[in-house]
Every structure is written in C-alpha cells, then in structure tokens.
Amino acid sequence: MAVTLSFSPSTMKQYEWLLTRYPTRRAALLPTLRLAESEFGEIGVPEMRYVADLMEIPPAFVFGVVTFYTHYRRAGTGKYHIQVCSTLSCALRGSEDVVTRITERLGIVPGETTDCGLFSLSKVECLGSCDTAPMLQMNDDYHEDLSIDDVDQLIEQLRESAKGGSN
Amino acid sequence: MAFRKIFTQHIQKKTCHTMAFYKQHGGYEQAKAALSKRKKPDTLIDLVKASNLRGRGGAGFPTGVKWGFVPKTTDKPKYLVVNADESEPGTFKDRLIMEKNPHLLLEGILICCKAVGIETAYIYIRGEFVFATERLQKAIDEAYDAGFLGNNALGSGQRIDVTVHRGAGAYICGEETGMLTSLEGDRGNPKLKPPFPAIEGVFGCPTVVNNVETLANLPYILEIGADAYRAIGPENSPGPKLFCVSGHVENPGTFELPMGVPLRTLIDKHAGGVWKGRKLKAVIPGGSSAHVLTADECDVAMDIESLAAAGTMLGSAGVIVMDETTCMVDAMLNVMRFYHHESCGQCTPCREGTGWLAKITHRIAHGEGRMEDLDLIQDVCDRMVGKTICALADAAAFPAESIVKKFKSDFESAIQNGGSPAWKKRHPSVVGGAASHA
Amino acid sequence: MPDIKTPTTRWTLNGQEVENTSGMTILEAASEHGVEIPCFCYHPGLSIAGNCRICMVESNRSPKPVISCSERIADGLEIETESEVAVDARNSVMEFQLINHPLDCPVCDKSGECVLQDHSYSHGPDRSRFIEDKNIRHTKELGPTISIWGNRCIVCTRCTRFCDEISGTSELCIVERGDRSVVDVFPGIPIDNQLAGNTVDICPVGALISHDFKFEARVWNMERKDSICGGCSRGCNIEVETLDGFVKRLMPRENQDVNDWWMCDEGRYGWRHLYSDDRVLEARGPSGPLDSSRSITAFIEILDNSPRVAFLIDPFLTCEELHLVHALAASSSDSLVGGWLPEQGAAAEFPAGFKISADKHPNRNGAEQVFGHQVFGEDASHLQRALDDGSIETIVAFCGGPDPDGPGQEWSAALVKASTRILFSVLEGNWLDGAALVFPATAPLEKEGTWVSEDDRLQRTRSCWKPGETPFPGELVLLQSLQSALGTRSRSLSAAGIFRELSEVCAPFAGHNHSDIGSSGLLLSDRPAGVGAGGGA
Ligand SMILES: Cc1cc2nc3c(=O)[nH]c(=O)nc-3n(C[C@H](O)[C@H](O)[C@H](O)COP(=O)(O)O)c2cc1C
Ligand code: SF4
Ligand code: SF4
Ligand code: SF4
Ligand code: FES
Ligand code: FES
C-alpha cells in the first residue's frame, strides 16, 4: 500500500462522535469499520490496519471481527455488489432462477467478480424481505419481487450508469 | 372491542414515519404520561406484567417479568438493547415498524427506559437494513430536536439517549447475547448464561434486551390498560401481532391481527391462499427455526401456547408456506445450509453438527443418500439439542428432525431415485443456499 | 480439607455427599474428590470460555446437562458425571469433535499428550458415522517459532485467550465463523512475543506446533524430569524432556508461587548450545586431553604449588557445587573468592503477573547465601584488584553460561594476569587460551542440586543426563574427587548429601533437606520451627 490511509476531517468528526456514544472504545469498532468502508470503498488489510491503529485495538482482533461478519465490503468486491437472497422463502419463489440469469448475463458465478471489476455476485442469507421474494440487495438497495426481466433491466441500468459515471 | 391495528394502521400514508404525523395521531402521549414525575417506575413494570405482554423476538418471554429481574439499585449504568436484527428466515415485521412507524418504537423505548431506570438505549439493527436505519436515524434526530430524547427526555429530568448500531451480517447477532458481544465490538459470539443479561449484560452491566415489536406494544398497553390488552387474543399470550407470511402464497406480506388467529385463516384469507391453485404441503410457522407442520396439522391458532401444544412454536411469527410441489429434501437442504453458514462456531455440537446435517442432506438431495441417514439425522439432532451456549443448535435441529420425520417419503424417494426431483432435473430451484459446499 | 473459616458448600457428587470451599466450579471441586472431568477449552490460568462442551455433567438443577468448568457448586446441588445423560453428552461432543478431525496421530507432534486423542479412547465412538469429506483449513506459519495445522484446531480459544490475557500481546485471533473458524494472525504481524511458546503447550491438540520440536521425538519415548530453568533469576519450574539423555524440549511446570503455568521463550529454547560442536567435553592440559585421574592430579599439583589461590565463581553453580568450592577455598590459606555476573537482559512483566528477570543468573542468591552477600560485589572487586596488581598467581574460574566469552571481556582480561589458570567452561572460547587446565563445565540443565531464586525460593534443579552415562564428571563429582585426593573427604556423596553438609554449616539452609523442598520449592525464610540461626558460612 503506497498511500497511507486516513479519514477525512468530516469522517474523523463522525468517528469522534461515535466514541461519545459508547462507554468503551471497542464498542465503536463495527460502526467505525462502516466509516472506513464508505471512506475507502472496502475493508481489506490496509483498512483493517488503519482502523486498528486509529482505535488502538490489536489488528488481529479487528481481523477476527471483520471475518466474522459477511456484510463488510471485502477487498476486491466489484463496484456493484449483487447479493441474491437464497434462503428458503426466496428459494421457494425462484431465487435460483435469478442467480442463474445473472450468471448468464454476467458470466460469473456466486463468489466471483467480473473481469472489468464492475460486478460481484453473491448468494446471501435471508434479507428480511421474504414477502417480496425473490429479491436481491445491490450495494445498499433492495430490489424486490424480481422477475427475470427485472434482473435484465437492473443489469442494463447498472451498465449504463457505470458508463455515465466514468465520463 | 373491535380489533385496532397499532403498527400498520397508517402505513399507506406517505408521511407515516414522521414525527409530525405520529404526534398528530396521538403519538408520544403515553410516553409523556409514563415519564411524568408522578409515575412510579414500578407501576409501569406491574402494568406490563399484568398485560401478559410476551416477547415478540422468538422466545416469548414475559416482558414485565424480564424487566423485574434488573436490579433496582446498582451503581452500574443499565442499558436497553433493542433487538432489530431481524434475521430469522421468513421474518420481516420489525423492518416494517422501523421503516413506517419508527416513532412508535421510540415511544416504546422511552417507556421501557422509564420503567427500568435506563438512560442509554441502543437499537441493534442488522447491517443490511440500510433504509430502515436511515428512517430510524431521522426519527431519532427529530426526537432529539423535540427534546423527547436527550438529557431531559420529555422534560422528565431523566436522561435517555438512543443510538442506532448497525450490525454487519450475522444471524447469530439476533440471539440476545450474541448481539451484546457484537455491540461490544467483538465477534458476535453468544455469552455463557448465567449471568443473564438482566444482571450482567452489555459492558458487564444490567441490560434489558427486547425485540422491536415487543417495545412497540408498550404505548398501546399504557393507553388501553392491562385488562383490555389481555382481552386481545388468548389471555396468556395476548395482543396485536404482526404475522409474516411468505413462500408459496398468492399474497405474501405482513398482517396485523390479534394473537391467536387461526393459521388457516392467515394463509387462506389474509395471504390469499396457496398460490397457483395448488395444495398446501407444509408450513414452518415461526421462522425457519421452528418445527415444521404438515398440511393436516395447520388447524392451529397462531399464539404461543397453541403452537407449543402443536409441537412447534410461534417464534418470530414468520410463516413459510410450501405447496405440494415442494421437495422437502431440497427445503431442508436450504435450511440446513443456512444454519451451517450462520453458526458462530464456538460450541462443538453446533459448529460440527450444523455442518454435518448440511452435508448429509446435501448428499441425499444429490442422489447419494442411504436409508440409515434418516436415523443418523435424528441422532445428530439429539446430540445437538440442549448442549450448546445458545439456541442456534436447537434452531437447526428442530426443523431438521421434524422435516425428516414428517416428510419421510420425500427422503426415501430421493434416496431410492437418485436424488431430489430438482437435482434430477438439473434445475435446483430450491437447493441453492448461500453457503456452498465444495 | 478447608479450614473452619472458609465457607464450605455441601453438595452431592455421583451420589456421595461432599464438601468443598464455596465458589468453586464443579470441575475444580470434583477434582478435589478424585473425579476428573475431561476438558478442552478450560485452563485454570485462563478465563472461562465454555465452548468445547466436553465437560458437561448432569445436574439436578437443570433440565439440560451443564458445563462443569463454568457452573459453580451450591448447597444441595446434585451432580452426576457418569450417568447416562452425562456420558451421552460427552460422547456427543467427542463424536462432533472427531468428525472433521484428520487422522493425523501417527504424524502429529501432539500424539501421546493430546487431550483429544486421550478422550477419543475413553469416549469416542468405535466407528465413524461421518462419511463426508472432512473440512479443510489452513496450515501456515504464524510466527518464527509456531505454525498452525488448521485441520486439527478445535477452536477452543486457549491460545487466543493466552495472548489476550497472559502475554497481553493479542497477536492471535479466530477468523471466519462456524466450522470455517480457525486461528490466525493479522497479515504481516506474526506471533512473536516472549511467551509465545506457551500457546503450543496449552493447545489441547496438535494444531499449534513448535518449529523447534517439530518431528523431534514421539512424546511417549521421552523421559521427564522436574527441573528449574536457568535462564534468569526467576527460576521458572520446568519439565525437562529427554531422549537418551539429550534434551528435546522444555515445558513449564505449574508453580503458582513462581511461574503459574508458563515460561518464557528465551528459557524454553535456550538449550541448543548444550549440543554445540564447540562444547568442552573433556579435561585438558597444555599438552592435550587428560583422563579423569590425571586431571585431578594435575589440579592438585597446581594447588599444592600455589602460595595463594583465588576462585571466580559464577551464578549458575548450584548451592552444592558452591559449598564444595567454598570448602576447597577454605582449605587453602589466604584464598580469595569473588563472583562474576552475566550481563543484564531486559526485565519484563506481563499483564497476568508473569515476570522475566533482567538478571540472567539462576543462583546468584544461593551463592550469596553460601559466600556472603559481598561475593559478587565487594569480594569481586577485591579479587579483580588483586588480579590486576598481580598478587594472584593461580585462579580457578567457572563459567556455566552459554557465552563463548566465558565471564566476559573484563574478567577475561583480568584472569590472564594470573599465570596459572584452571578454567571450567561449557563452550570453547578465546578466554581458555593459555590455561593450565581446562575442565568441561555443566550447563544449567545438566546440574543436580539447588538454586535460590530472586524471590528467595530454594528449588531443585535436575540433570538431563542419564545416571551412569554422564559425558564427563560434572563439578559436583570433580570437586569431591579433588577433596578425596586432598584427603578432606572420606566418601563421595550425591547432591542431597552435599546439601546436608551445607545445611549443617550454613545458616540460611539450616533445617532443610532435598526431600522437603518438594516439587514446588520452599522459601528460605520459611525455616522449619526449632531451627535457630546458628552455624555460618
Ligand atoms: C439463533 C437465534 C436468533 C435470534 N434472532 C432474533 C432476531 O433476529 N430478532 C429478535 O428480536 N430476536 C431474536 N432471537 C431471540 C432473542 O434471543 C431474544 O429472545 C429476544 O431478542 C428477546 O426479546 P423479546 O423478549 O422482546 O422477544 C434469536 C434467538 C436465537 C436463539
Ligand atoms: S450454539 Fe452455535 S451459534 Fe450458539 S453459541 Fe454455540 S456455536 Fe455459536
Ligand atoms: S490452535 Fe489449539 S489452542 Fe488454539 S484454538 Fe485451536 S485447538 Fe485451541
Ligand atoms: S522467565 Fe526466566 S526462569 Fe522463567 S523461563 Fe524465562 S528465563 Fe527461565
Ligand atoms: S428468504 Fe429471502 S428475504 Fe427472507
Ligand atoms: S471444558 Fe468446559 S466447556 Fe470446555
């Protein structure tokens, strides 16, 4: 890592606010990792190290914590992280078809990222939206009651906005 | 008395989540009364005890009794941790409250804090609920601005601070002590009990853990009184209740009904019946951790006692409906993969047992099953239940043992015919869980 | 038995009413009655994790089996450790523990002392019902001295708790969750603390492997002796494990008054020089090797012809060896004794109280008791001055330390001022050049006798050598042979016999003998009643 990471002043302010909300510093670890995630785009080794040093928490502890949870954006995740709920209620209503369709369209299977780095595909567990199954979470947003057409449209839309974003 | 919806009455309204709307509809009146200096905390606890309100998170523990365990005098701070982790498969009710009616939750929190003498509350919300988090945060900001929260909450002189704390993707953080460890910034490993959270919970201090929906009942209990509340549904587990129906129904959704609504009514009337004109095969009535019911067993009332009597549980009231085309081997594989993926891995029986169950089921679904596997599953379940730090091991074993017992023929057929129908069609429409096996 | 003042709890263990000090866990209390409940994650020196579940027992207070490592005894509690419920619970855990465990015993260093292996004989199912593929987890180096064999890890968290609670270094963590959980370090931050080796000891299985011991020996072939580490003045209690008289491994031995359950890596791995090619293994004179009797004759000849003999002792010599040096010095008139000390190291104290001393001398305290407190101070300066001004012709100097420089630059320079030098040394080195006689010296793990730690604790150190197969006569034997040849000793004694002589003449040791030192040592100040402060050195 050539560049040393550091929080911007406004993130640092949020971090300091966080510390005031808990009786222990360590309790602010999960939310601070969220700050790091949005500031740096992902939680990889340098980001964990930065947070550990900032919070004066042993890096190994942070490593153990980050790998326990599945929802931090791990290093190498594509710009659009498509997380298809694959738990029972969604599976009963065709989540596997959604996955298959995405695989067809993007050429990646769950756990993979497209070569262009744009898309990552994951199967995830129940997202608390079983009444709108099948559904997926794309980055922060829920896409619900999915048909195969919806999946196609979503991918197109993301491709478009990626183009727009790069201009 | 006609049934009145307390959670979902106004959710069609665009501004239902705002403080203005909430106050316009009588919001915060109960909290104001509760926090007035004249109100004794004990009378609030007694009222909640008398109401027979039981926890909506899964275990159904009487809320007032739980509050009563917290030491009255202690030199440690006390905490309220609101369980908004909502990760039990088939459950999506707390999200609705937080997105559409966040002030109802805040009012409940204020009442609980007054009753138990708590100054600091955390809402532990699952990390995936980004929109709900925003809504909650907005509501909290409004409440601070209005002086309802903060150093002098509602002018009571009592400090009440509420902080939203986002999880990061782990079902086990819905288990109350796993949630507390996670809130402390650690891996979400459940804690040994005793000590119980009421005595020694988060940060080593007395802690009340309550589910979102549980707390959201409080303003209503204060409004109508314990007797009237107890009259809603069965006396021992009364109240308005959010039922989540998902899976093979025409109209999946969250339905607010009195406790004790017949399961059939819930499915057929409210959720539009089994979809595509098909027949019912199986229902898991309380989130995927509950024992499964066959179609024949579905004449049961949706309340804590009736479902316990039927050998299952109300749990989180996540009703998952499966139609006649469902292969129960595939359904079980999906559920077992979930628990395997979500076990925190501390306790040997759960860490190893969840993986073993998933592997056996996987083998059966993929045509390599043996008849003796059915007894083996039963035995593995026996060896897991009641031997672990938290109830996740039980939660995995309950669906497993009941599905195998009650839908044996599906398993026999998969074993004899080279796998589940879906597997054979090379079209695993149900088998795909998030945790994959190499 | 608990005395009257400590509150006791009456409870029932396997149908027998028993009594224990209140507040104990079931596991600890049962052990006091000879009922050993198996455990993996429990370690008396660490916080309670309660995760392995092997210690489950049946309780009259709970519908489910309870874990005995965390549940405490209470009046009226009834515990069954061998009932169907208890045995079933244990067997369940055992089976779960084994399903993904590799069948590595034949190649695993832990084999023979593995808690899992032990239990699998007594509680395991005869035949595995698990026919699936076993899980794979990483095998990798965690640090310069330790690797993890992930497939063997049972995630008991003893090692991580050790690094959090005892060393306070927190390099280890559990990564991932469920049955993917395994011990790891942060990328780029290896486990490299002064106590790291203890994690290997406490790993109940062969998941943590010490590079130093990897494939060195099968543990059941090794012999074990209780001994004391010579690395510093703390005097950590250790077990020396040998194969055919050769040290293979040092392990800490529990002593709550000294080292709890731990030892430091410097002490643990600080024995390789015993087998160095530079080891002095036989006596020699200017014209070559001398056999034992000729070396004694030569020694006596020198003594007889020296008007004044001086002795330079080291802080590795045992009290018994020092007693012999003392006697020898006393027998020649006008003798001088001083002592040298190795350079100081860094002291360290760890969160749970474990200490490493800056003083790298296991028996400085003992030498001061035998010779008086000046021996490394004023006496040493006196000796140095006498050497410098050339008033000493003959000097006998000892170096039991690991340094080829012997007593160090300064002393070496002073020593050459004496024209006749008799030097005892563990390793070859420049300081031996020009010596009249060179004798092999025993190093700490080769000595039989006692040391006194910096806390005034008299402890027994034992030799790794096989009795009767000693590579050379150590100081204890040699010095007695000298006395015999001089006519001052009628029969040669063991270390215990010499200690008896010492205790008769040296007040601090009065009333003690080897057998009452026991396995955990005793404080010199705790003299048995009735023993006066008579005698003197
Ligand atoms: C494995 C497991 C997962 C759980 N998940 C949740 C959850 O997501 N939300 C919840 O409110 N309770 C959950 N619970 C129940 C909580 O442990 C606890 O009983 C509840 O939060 C208490 O609040 P209540 O009394 O208001 O229901 C779970 C329990 C277990 C054993
Ligand atoms: S039962 Fe499972 S989830 Fe619960 S603490 Fe034990 S290993 Fe973790
Ligand atoms: S490496 Fe050993 S001590 Fe550490 S958790 Fe694994 S089994 Fe336990
Ligand atoms: S602390 Fe001292 S006595 Fe203990 S092991 Fe280390 S060197 Fe040896
Ligand atoms: S099963 Fe997919 S959101 Fe619940
Ligand atoms: S020894 Fe008691 S749970 Fe591990």
Side-chain angles (χ1 to χ4, degrees), chain B residues 105-410:
Chain B
L105 172 61
L106 292 183
E107 187 170 7
I109 290 173
L110 285 166
I111 293 166
C112 173
C113 287
K114 165 73 186 233
V116 190
I118 291 168
E119 295 186 331
T120 310
Y122 297 98
I123 303 175
Y124 187 103
I125 185 167
R126 60 178 303 180
E128 294 86 346
F129 281 176
V130 179
F131 181 62
T133 304
E134 284 167 16
R135 278 273 162 99
L136 264 181
Q137 190 58 54
K138 201 170 266 161
I140 290 170
D141 293 345
E142 283 179 316
Y144 269 104
D145 289 345
F148 291 6
L149 292 174
N151 285 331
N152 183 13
L154 282 165
S156 64
Q158 182 176 348
R159 176 175 80 79
I160 299 179
D161 279 315
V162 179
T163 305
V164 183
H165 185 94
R166 279 182 77 197
Y171 167 66
I172 196 55
C173 294
E175 195 280 340
E176 56 184 1
T177 57
M179 186 173 63
L180 299 183
T181 341
S182 179
L183 178 56
E184 288 164 352
D186 210 331
R187 297 162 60 83
N189 290 341
K191 301 177 191 234
L192 292 179
K193 287 157 274 195
F196 288 90
I199 311 296
E200 204 180 308
V202 73
F203 311 121
C205 300
T207 303
V208 170
V209 177
N210 272 134
N211 169 262
V212 169
E213 187 189 350
T214 310
L215 293 166
N217 269 282
L218 296 170
Y220 189 50
I221 293 174
L222 266 62
E223 183 192 331
I224 64 168
D227 294 342
Y229 186 84
R230 261 201 331 273
I232 306 167
E235 160 118 48
N236 283 327
S237 68
K241 178 77 193 91
L242 291 174
F243 296 97
C244 313
V245 187
S246 65
H248 293 158
V249 289
E250 283 295 345
N251 176 28
T254 312
F255 306 99
E256 182 174 359
L257 297 161
M259 259 309 182
V261 62
L263 175 55
R264 289 237 182 241
T265 310
L266 184 61
I267 295 172
D268 292 340
K269 182 166 159 228
H270 298 281
V274 178
W275 71 347
K276 302 179 183 175
R278 292 185 189 152
K279 282 217 256 338
L280 183 64
K281 179 163 185 176
V283 176
I284 304 186
S288 68
S289 305
H291 284 95
V292 71
L293 296 174
T294 62
D296 293 342
E297 292 170 324
C298 286
D299 293 308
V300 61
M302 290 294 288
D303 63 74
I304 295 171
E305 256 103 25
S306 308
L307 283 161
T312 181
M313 62 177 183
L314 178 66
S316 62
V319 179
I320 305 170
V321 177
M322 287 166 268
D323 72 19
E324 57 187 328
T325 68
T326 312
C327 169
M328 294 308 286
V329 178
D330 290 338
M332 170 146 150
L333 175 56
N334 187 291
V335 174
M336 291 306 109
R337 281 179 162 181
F338 172 80
Y339 290 103
H340 175 220
H341 187 247
E342 298 299 333
S343 162
C344 85
Q346 306 187 76
C347 319
T348 312
C350 174
R351 178 182 67 239
E352 303 296 335
T354 51
W356 196 359
L357 288 176
K359 283 178 181 174
I360 300 170
T361 318
H362 187 267
R363 202 159 36 69
I364 298 173
H366 290 63
E368 291 159 40
R370 310 165 304 170
M371 278 303 174
E372 64 257 43
D373 288 334
L374 304 183
D375 288 341
L376 181 58
I377 289 172
Q378 181 61 51
D379 202 50
V380 171
C381 291
D382 289 347
R383 292 190 153 205
M384 291 166 70
V385 171
K387 298 186 183 65
T388 51
I389 293 176
C390 87
L392 188 140
D394 302 14
F398 291 162
E401 59 189 16
S402 56
I403 291 175
V404 171
K405 201 185 307 161
K406 295 181 183 179
F407 297 94
K408 203 165 185 174
S409 60
D410 281 17

Side-chain angles (χ1 to χ4, degrees), chain A residues 36-54:
Chain A
E37 184 180 46
S38 55
E39 177 106 23
F40 308 130
E42 62 185 26
I43 301 291
V45 172
E47 292 78 17
M48 288 189 272
R49 186 64 200 260
Y50 174 73
V51 169
D53 292 348
L54 174 72

Side-chain angles (χ1 to χ4, degrees), chain C residues 298-329:
Chain C
F299 200 136
I300 294 199
E301 216 166 274
I302 293 173
L303 290 186
D304 284 347
N305 293 321
S306 302
R308 195 178 187 206
V309 188
F311 295 84
L312 179 64
I313 59 160
D314 71 21
F316 302 101
L317 292 162
T318 61
C319 296
E320 292 76 1
E321 291 163 341
L322 290 162
H323 172 67
L324 294 172
V325 174
H326 186 260
L328 200 60

Side-chain angles (χ1 to χ4, degrees), chain C residues 229-236 263-264 266-268 354-357:
Chain C
C229 172
C232 79
S233 320
R234 293 298 305 152
C236 288
M263 75 184 295
C264 80
E266 205 175 317
R268 180 189 298 269
F354 183 87
K355 281 189 224 150
I356 299 175
S357 175

Side-chain angles (χ1 to χ4, degrees), chain A residues 57-125:
Chain A
I57 292 173
F61 184 89
V62 176
F63 190 33
V65 167
V66 168
T67 56
F68 184 88
Y69 300 97
T70 53
H71 199 250
Y72 289 116
R73 245 179 121 81
R74 303 273 181 104
T77 307
K79 179 170 180 187
Y80 303 117
H81 190 191
I82 302 176
Q83 304 156 77
V84 183
C85 174
S86 299
T87 311
L88 188 57
S89 300
C90 282
L92 291 169
R93 294 180 81 96
S95 65
E96 201 57 28
D97 298 341
V98 172
V99 173
T100 307
R101 185 58 170 191
I102 298 172
T103 295
E104 281 167 14
R105 297 295 308 262
L106 298 178
I108 50 171
V109 297
E112 291 181 344
T113 300
T114 52
D115 291 338
C116 58
L118 219 47
F119 296 99
S120 290
L121 175 61
S122 304
K123 285 186 186 181
V124 298
E125 300 298 355

Side-chain angles (χ1 to χ4, degrees), chain C residues 329-342:
Chain C
S331 68
S332 67
S333 62
D334 201 20
S335 65
L336 257 180
V337 181
W340 68 273
L341 293 173

Side-chain angles (χ1 to χ4, degrees), chain C residues 283-302 436-437 439 478 482:
Chain C
R284 65 171 186 258
S287 51
L290 299 169
D291 66 21
S292 171
S293 69
R294 285 179 51 219
S295 68
I296 304 263
T297 318
F299 200 136
I300 294 199
E301 216 166 274
I302 293 173
L437 289 173
F439 284 94
L478 190 102
L482 275 178

